Amino acid sequence: MQKKSLTSRAFWVTIIAGMVTGMGNGSVFGAALMCLLGRGEFNDWGGWFGAAYDPSTFTGFIDACMILFGLMYVVIMVVGLKRHDALEKAAA
């Protein structure tokens, strides 16, 4: 019986941990951006319904950054797990 890869065994953990960590870091980036820029060139703050995720609004830009950070952390975790799995297979 062949053992499943580390990436496939940790599928949901990878997605949840990556999104939570990445979106947390994205919110810190958004807060720093708010302090640095203020509202800047954004005409609308975009806090209701779909406008909260429209990147042309202030809140939507920050929410889009949070989602992007989350997705990138998932990718980073998948790469790390694949490399770790390759090291374990090489050692076995």
Side-chain angles (χ1 to χ4, degrees):
M1 181 174 192
Q2 190 173 3
K3 195 163 94 172
K4 290 169 111 180
S5 71
L6 189 58
T7 310
S8 65
R9 286 186 288 156
F11 178 75
W12 289 110
V13 173
T14 302
I15 291 176
I16 292 169
M19 287 301 286
V20 169
T21 304
M23 289 184 79
N25 288 337
S27 69
V28 172
F29 173 77
L33 193 66
M34 280 191 269
C35 291
L36 179 67
L37 296 177
R39 276 188 49 192
E41 297 295 318
F42 294 102
N43 294 326
D44 187 12
W45 74 284
W48 300 105
F49 305 111
Y53 299 100
D54 178 10
S56 66
T57 64
F58 183 67
T59 304
F61 177 73
I62 292 169
D63 288 345
C65 287
M66 287 173 58
I67 292 169
L68 181 67
F69 273 58
L71 292 173
M72 289 302 105
Y73 267 76
V74 169
V75 169
I76 289 168
M77 288 189 67
V78 167
V79 168
L81 285 173
K82 282 185 178 185
R83 289 186 179 177
H84 183 77
D85 198 32
L87 287 173
E88 279 188 358
K89 284 182 181 178

